[in-house]
Amino acid sequence: MTRAAHRAVAEANTNIALVKYWGKRDARLNLPAVGSLSLTLDGLATRTEVRFDAALGSDALSLNGQPASGTPLSRVTQFLDLVRARAGIALKAQVVSANNFPTAAGLASSASAFAALALASTRAAGLTLDGRELSQLARRGSGSAARSLYGGFVHLHRGTRDDGADCYAEPITENGGAEAWGVRLVVAVTSDGQKETLSTDGMRHTAETSPYYAEWLATSEPDLKAARQAIAARDLEALGTVTERSCLSMHASAMAARPAVVYFLGATIDGYRAVQAMRRAGLPAWFTCDAGPHVKALTDAAHADEVAARLAAVPCVLRTLVCAPGQAARIVEGDA
Ligand code: PMV
């Protein structure tokens, strides 16, 4: 240990990719095959406490109030091993992590979970990392976690180096910028079931078997450029158009895998059609969807309630949620 800090608590918000990440160029270092661009969401956060303790014989994890073992614990231990190696410590840790949103909210929690774990564990281990280093570390837990360290719109750069030194997340606007513009993300939950294919497995299978994988990769850089231009111009229609096509291209590549990886339910397609109908009726709304069946619609503050009401009326939509741009990950308690 470089100093006495053994305990820290951090919070991080989840994010939703507008230009998607799908595919890895290096599985061990978890380097993405494409860059991605996201919006961090307000009100949907993971709070994680990490306490390194000489009395512990192994790492222990509590997840949403329940002791966790198996894959969740081994993913946390693998991640903490990176932190321990970097800090030159061997201490085991007690990790207590909870989401302030139900897992059934239909939003991925790995992004906020590994962002909060990266921040809390490095602080508790006495490390001081800059934003770029922290995002590279969070990426080892989950690609999307690298983006949750920042608020507002965030770009995770693909990079080209084998060691990943040029693969890091960078804020485009902090949440103040995205909020000043008034963007909103409406989530329509279509199922309370667990998703069928984990993103890592779906990506690997798509890369290995889909004849459309190369075409999907080729769409990424032009879409990132168009999204960045749209954000700079505060052009919601341009951003929404890229958002929708990036999502559908990603899913098309997965659906063409052999056998197919299909995340959509009937309600997902109905939600997509409802969003198209909203646009025909003059409402600004654009569809996106991750490695699960839930419908997400990009819109603005003036229309978010109307978009949510129309999505709530779609058969099989269970509930809706309106999210404003969220803030960056932060330390909320710490010894340091
Ligand atoms: O961060 P992961 O490994 O859970 O992958 C995220 C994949 C998508 O949510 C589908 C896209 C994205 O960029 O977040």
Side-chain angles (χ1 to χ4, degrees), residues 76-247:
V76 165
T77 288
Q78 277 169 25
F79 188 85
L80 291 176
D81 285 344
L82 299 172
V83 176
R84 283 186 278 254
R86 196 156 179 156
I89 61 171
L91 298 176
K92 304 299 182 192
Q94 168 75 51
V95 178
V96 179
S97 188
N99 297 327
N100 75 350
F101 54 99
T103 309
L107 286 149
S109 57
S110 71
S112 52
F114 280 102
L117 182 63
L119 195 53
S121 62
T122 51
R123 176 65 69 96
L127 289 167
T128 310
L129 303 187
D130 64 23
R132 184 180 293 204
E133 293 171 318
L134 211 47
S135 76
Q136 289 173 326
L137 177 66
R139 187 201 73 228
R140 299 290 295 273
S142 156
S144 51
R147 302 185 307 239
S148 266
L149 288 164
Y150 296 105
F153 292 112
V154 183
H155 186 169
L156 174 59
H157 297 280
R158 175 193 190 275
T160 54
R161 289 178 51 140
D162 287 346
D163 65 1
D166 55 355
C167 174
Y168 60 92
E170 182 182 46
I172 299 173
T173 64
E174 278 298 341
N175 63 315
E179 178 47 37
W181 181 11
V183 292
R184 292 290 182 273
L185 204 285
V186 178
V187 181
V189 178
T190 57
S191 157
D192 276 333
Q194 292 291 317
K195 63 185 169 190
E196 287 168 11
T197 309
L198 295 174
S199 52
T200 296
D201 299 333
M203 287 179 199
R204 188 181 49 237
H205 182 64
T206 303
E208 286 171 0
T209 70
S210 174
Y212 296 170
Y213 183 63
E215 281 73 8
W216 149 250
L217 296 183
T219 65
S220 171
E221 277 305 317
D223 280 354
L224 283 165
K225 195 168 166 222
R228 288 199 65 133
Q229 279 171 353
I231 291 167
R234 291 196 176 188
D235 183 339
L236 187 63
E237 181 171 4
L239 183 61
T241 302
V242 181
T243 296
E244 203 166 285
R245 75 175 179 232
S246 173
C247 162

Side-chain angles (χ1 to χ4, degrees), residues 244-269:
E244 203 166 285
R245 75 175 179 232
S246 173
C247 162
L248 292 172
S249 300
M250 176 205 120
H251 283 277
S253 75
M255 282 192 231
R258 299 171 183 183
V261 179
V262 181
Y263 290 105
F264 294 169
L265 293 174
T268 320
I269 297 290

Side-chain angles (χ1 to χ4, degrees), residues 15-24 30 35-38 75 108 110-111 139 141-147 195 198-200 203 250-251 263 289-292 296:
N15 72 77
I16 187 89
L18 306 182
V19 180
K20 301 292 187 198
Y21 149 50
W22 194 249
K24 300 182 197 289
N30 206 25
S36 53
L37 189 151
S38 59
R75 280 183 80 181
S110 71
R139 187 201 73 228
S142 156
S144 51
R147 302 185 307 239
K195 63 185 169 190
L198 295 174
S199 52
T200 296
M203 287 179 199
M250 176 205 120
H251 283 277
Y263 290 105
C289 176
D290 286 319
K296 289 129 191 181

